[in-house]
Structures are given as structure tokens and as C-alpha cells.
Amino acid sequence: MPNDRGSWGSRPGFILAATGSAVGLGNIWGFPTQVGQGGGAAFVLIYLVAVIFICAPILLGEVLVGRYAQLGPAGAVRRIAPTGPWWVIGLLAVAAGTFILSFYAVIAGWTVQYLWLAVTDGLASDARGSGELFDALSANGSQNILFTGLFIGLTAWCVNRGIRRGIEAASRLMMPLLFVLLVILAIRSVTLPGAGEGLAYYLRPDLSQALNPEIIGAAVGQAFFSLSLGMGALITYGSYLHRSHAVRSASMAIVGIDTTIALLAGFIIFPAGFSIAGFDPTASGPGLIFAVLPQLFATLPGGLLFGAAFFLLLSVAAFTSTISLLEVPVAHAIDQWRWPRRKAVLAVGAFTFAFSIPSVLSFGGGFFSELPAVGGTFFNLMVNVWNEWALPVGGMLISLFIGWRWGARFAGDELRRDGPGFPSPALWGFLIRFVSPTAIFLLIVFRFVG
Ligand code: PHE
């Protein structure tokens, strides 16, 4: 057994850490942004269907594989299937962890800068409109490289402390804080004058939008991203569980909390947005929350305090997610190459930082904001490749691997160790063998032709 692996101190510790991985910028920044671009409530509806029928079974499957093999994705796949093409799952995991972290940390870096502005009064005293504030802030290359690097550095420090003293301890401290902050902000937001229009936009689906393959694709991709699925993050976290720890209820809790928090974020953003004159949810793109919310905070009584709370919340949520992104390639180096944890953290951290620079520079105008080959920014290219393609494809491979290669019988036996409960091995086996992979496959085909 490699000695630098580590394990969770307790089952609640695992649940907090895995929830910490799931809950992140994907919920609070990504979900409302996508709802804004994807036409409101119709997107929410598709998202929920994807979470329940496609993603939840895969999430349980990933945790089961990890607990069974006691190894990260590449090792786990090899233990179950020494031959065959399944090793691509391990490769995808390492690549996705590294590259997603490289653009994720850029947004996290903005978040910390906004926190700083809120604390130092810079949000209120800034005379420019907040849209301009976001444009100016995101265009400042050197400052963003600094904050992105800072965030990656902090993540590396925590991951280097190991599973129990680093990841579990950080999640225990931060997840409760996050939840309290979210609820306070949601209450504040839905009691604003004019909040009703935002609620209607958010909750009343325009069903003519619901069958648009673009929107379905975005919703499914978003569900994978938000639940940290399709790249073995939950295989990795599951591998630090003791074989006797039950995973069924834990997995349901992770799905439930992650989805609740994404929905709550919508209750914060849309009422707040629509309470500002001239708000257009479709036009904002990645700047949605960074442009909309500061305007609100600047005008509300006590708004700066709420602003500071919000950006603190966002930083905290991002941090417990970047930890899990980094842990996937780090666990791979520890398991497969027998590297010491410290060396793995340093190597992956340095590579990720270097690769984050083109994402940082996607916002200032210049080469990376108008890539000739893709007609868009490097940052958008990254989001698109990983969020909308790689994770769903990874999820499809993982579900095929679990359902057909590991096999319904063996996988079911592993689930039976938990005793009776929901979902039953038969129901889960059906979903992961037939429903999840077919749905993802169809989605991919439709998006190719559509
Ligand atoms: N789930 C995280 C979020 O919502 C992002 C993430 C994706 C983390 C994949 C780990 C793995 O922000």
C-alpha cells in the first residue's frame, strides 16, 4: 500500500468533503449564469431531470468504485479491469482535474479580489458602473495572474496537508459557514422590492425552450460539473473511505445538498438582478454575478456587509472545490508513480498555474481573447471542452464501465454491503446500465447533428 494516501477520519467527514467538492463556483456562479443564458426556468427543469436520472446513479457508482478499490480512478479501473480500453477513464481524470483547475482558479481569483473590494469599500466608492468594474478588473492581466496563483498556492498548501488534516479539516470548518451565508443572502434577496419579476423568470418555464439541444446539452454538462462527476473526483474521495462505511445515504445527501445550493443561488441572483433597472440576464455571460451583484450591494443599506459575505461565500465554496480538483492528479501520482504527496502537489500545482495564464489573459483583449481557430476566448474554449464535452463523455464511460465491465452483479454486491435502502441494487443497476449511458449518448449525437 502506498503510504501517502491517507483516509477520512469519519463518514460525516467524507460527506462534508465530497459536498465541498460538489458545491462551488459551479453552483453559485455557473448555475445562475447558465440559467440566464439558457432561458430561465426551462433550463432549471432539464437540469433537475439530468441530476436525478443521469447523474445521481453515476455519483453513487463513482463512490462505490473508489471504496471498493481503495485507489484513485486509474488504479481502480486497472484493479477491476486489467485489460481493455478502460484506462482512458484514468487519463481523462488526471487531465480534467488539472485543466479544469487551471480556469476555475481564474474565477476564484476574481472572487477574492471582489471580497477585497467589498471589505475595503472599493465596491461602493467605485464611481464606474459595475459592468465596467468587472471589465476593468478582469482585464488586469498581471493582477489576475497574481490572484490565480495565490489561489492555486493556497489549494496546494491544503492538499499537501493530506486527507484528514487538510481536506477534511477545511471542509468541516467551511461548509457550515457557507450554508448559513447562503440562507441569509437568499432571504435578503427575495425580500427586495421588485423581486417578484425575478422569481417568475426563474420559476415559470417557457417550455418551447425545453427541447432545444443546445440548452439540454448545457444543462447536462452543468449537472456533471456541479456534482464533480465524470472525472473520478468522487472515485478518489470514495477511495479514502473505510470499506465498512456506508455510501448510499451519503451519496444521496451529496446530490441533495449540491442541488439545493444551486437552486438557492438562483434565489439570490435573479430577484436581486431584476430589482435593478435594465437588467438583462441573457447578456451578462461570465460577468453575471460580478456585474449585477455589486450594483445591488452598493445601493442597499448595509449592502457592503452583504457583499463581503457573498464574496467570502464564493471564495470558500471555490476553495473546497479546487482542493478536490487538485487531489485527483495528486492521488494519481501517489498511487501510480509512488510519488511522495509533496512532490506531486508541487509538480501539478506548478503546471496548472502555468496553464492558467492563457485563461487569465482571455479577458483583456489581445491574442487569447480572440483565438483565430475557435473564434472565441481561450477561457470559453476551456469551459466548453471540459464542462460540456469531457465530463459527460467521462460520465458515460464510467457508467458503462461500472454497469457492464465491473458488472451488475459485482457492483450490486458492493452496494449490498450497505444493507437495504434506496436505491435498491436492481433499480440502481438499471439506471447505470441503461438510462445514464443511453441518455448521454443520445445527447452527444444530437449535439453533433443539431
Ligand atoms: N463541482 C465543482 C463546482 O460546482 C467543480 C468541480 C468539477 C470540482 C469537477 C471537482 C471536479 O464548482
Side-chain angles (χ1 to χ4, degrees):
M1 248 332 192
N3 52 7
D4 253 3
R5 293 204 91 242
S7 64
W8 305 115
S10 68
R11 205 175 80 103
F14 160 73
I15 298 177
L16 281 176
T19 309
S21 165
V23 174
L25 297 171
N27 305 60
I28 302 166
W29 169 79
F31 182 76
T33 306
Q34 299 257 20
V35 173
Q37 289 174 339
F43 181 94
V44 180
L45 208 64
I46 305 166
Y47 178 84
L48 291 176
V49 172
V51 165
I52 295 170
F53 292 102
I54 304 178
C55 294
I58 299 180
L59 190 141
L60 176 57
E62 281 203 22
V63 180
L64 271 183
V65 168
R67 183 185 70 176
Y68 168 78
Q70 302 276 301
L71 288 167
V77 164
R78 199 182 301 158
R79 167 158 301 177
I80 292 169
T83 57
W86 302 106
W87 55 268
V88 292
I89 293 176
L91 182 72
L92 187 79
V94 173
T98 311
F99 290 115
I100 292 178
L101 179 58
S102 78
F103 70 82
Y104 200 93
V106 177
I107 313 163
W110 298 339
T111 307
V112 176
Q113 293 174 69
Y114 271 82
L115 171 60
W116 174 252
L117 288 177
V119 171
T120 57
D121 243 31
L123 276 186
S125 54
D126 202 294
R128 298 165 299 179
S130 291
E132 285 169 48
L133 173 64
F134 175 71
D135 291 343
L137 187 139
S138 59
N140 187 338
S142 49
Q143 189 170 317
N144 282 299
I145 289 175
L146 180 75
F147 276 90
T148 303
L150 210 69
F151 211 91
I152 295 176
L154 210 62
T155 305
W157 170 78
C158 183
V159 169
N160 187 49
R161 284 174 63 89
I163 302 307
R164 221 173 278 192
R165 283 173 55 233
I167 301 177
E168 187 171 342
S171 312
R172 266 180 196 279
L173 182 72
M174 295 201 248
M175 293 310 289
L177 173 70
L178 185 106
F179 202 73
V180 172
L181 286 176
L182 261 172
V183 171
I184 295 175
L185 282 166
I187 293 173
R188 171 71 268 204
S189 192
V190 296
T191 51
L192 285 169
E197 201 187 331
L199 286 175
Y201 171 81
Y202 186 43
L203 299 175
R204 217 175 287 147
D206 167 7
L207 288 179
S208 64
Q209 289 289 310
L211 291 175
N212 174 342
E214 275 295 306
I215 293 186
I216 298 178
V220 175
Q222 175 62 24
F224 271 93
F225 186 79
S226 184
L227 288 165
S228 306
L229 282 187
M231 52 157 283
L234 286 149
I235 299 182
T236 308
Y237 273 24
S239 76
Y240 304 126
L241 274 168
H242 194 268
R243 291 272 285 137
S244 67
H245 282 148
V247 298
R248 182 156 34 199
S249 54
S251 304
M252 298 298 118
I254 297 163
V255 174
I257 298 172
D258 185 73
T259 308
T260 307
I261 290 187
L263 293 173
L264 257 180
F267 279 107
I268 297 177
I269 311 298
F270 293 106
F274 279 92
S275 77
I276 298 168
F279 172 65
D280 175 5
T282 39
S284 311
L288 175 69
I289 66 172
F290 293 105
V292 169
L293 292 175
Q295 287 182 58
L296 179 74
F297 297 140
T299 51
L300 275 182
L304 274 188
L305 198 67
F306 282 107
F310 179 79
F311 289 110
L312 176 67
L313 163 97
L314 209 53
S315 309
V316 167
F319 187 56
T320 49
S321 297
T322 52
I323 288 173
S324 70
L325 286 164
L326 182 59
E327 180 61 22
V328 172
V330 164
H332 181 86
I334 294 173
D335 287 347
Q336 304 299 309
W337 306 332
R338 299 285 188 265
W339 283 15
R341 180 168 279 273
R342 178 194 268 295
K343 175 176 168 190
V345 166
L346 277 175
V348 182
F351 178 85
T352 309
F353 174 58
F355 203 80
S356 72
I357 292 173
S359 283
V360 169
L361 299 180
S362 293
F363 292 88
F367 183 71
F368 292 109
S369 24
E370 205 68 60
L371 285 187
V374 291
T377 70
F378 183 83
F379 177 90
N380 280 346
L381 175 70
M382 283 280 115
V383 174
N384 200 280
V385 165
W386 295 104
N387 200 336
E388 295 190 12
W389 291 100
L391 296 185
V393 169
M396 182 174 76
L397 293 176
I398 290 173
S399 61
L400 290 170
F401 174 74
I402 294 173
W404 299 95
R405 180 62 183 82
W406 198 19
R409 206 180 104 224
F410 296 115
D413 282 347
E414 185 65 20
L415 186 59
R416 258 173 235 111
R417 292 172 64 94
D418 280 19
F422 181 85
S424 69
L427 172 63
W428 173 70
F430 174 73
L431 290 171
I432 201 154
R433 297 175 83 196
F434 299 104
V435 178
S436 310
T438 315
I440 303 170
F441 181 74
L442 287 179
L443 172 82
I444 291 169
V445 171
F446 274 121
R447 291 178 74 206
F448 252 118
V449 296

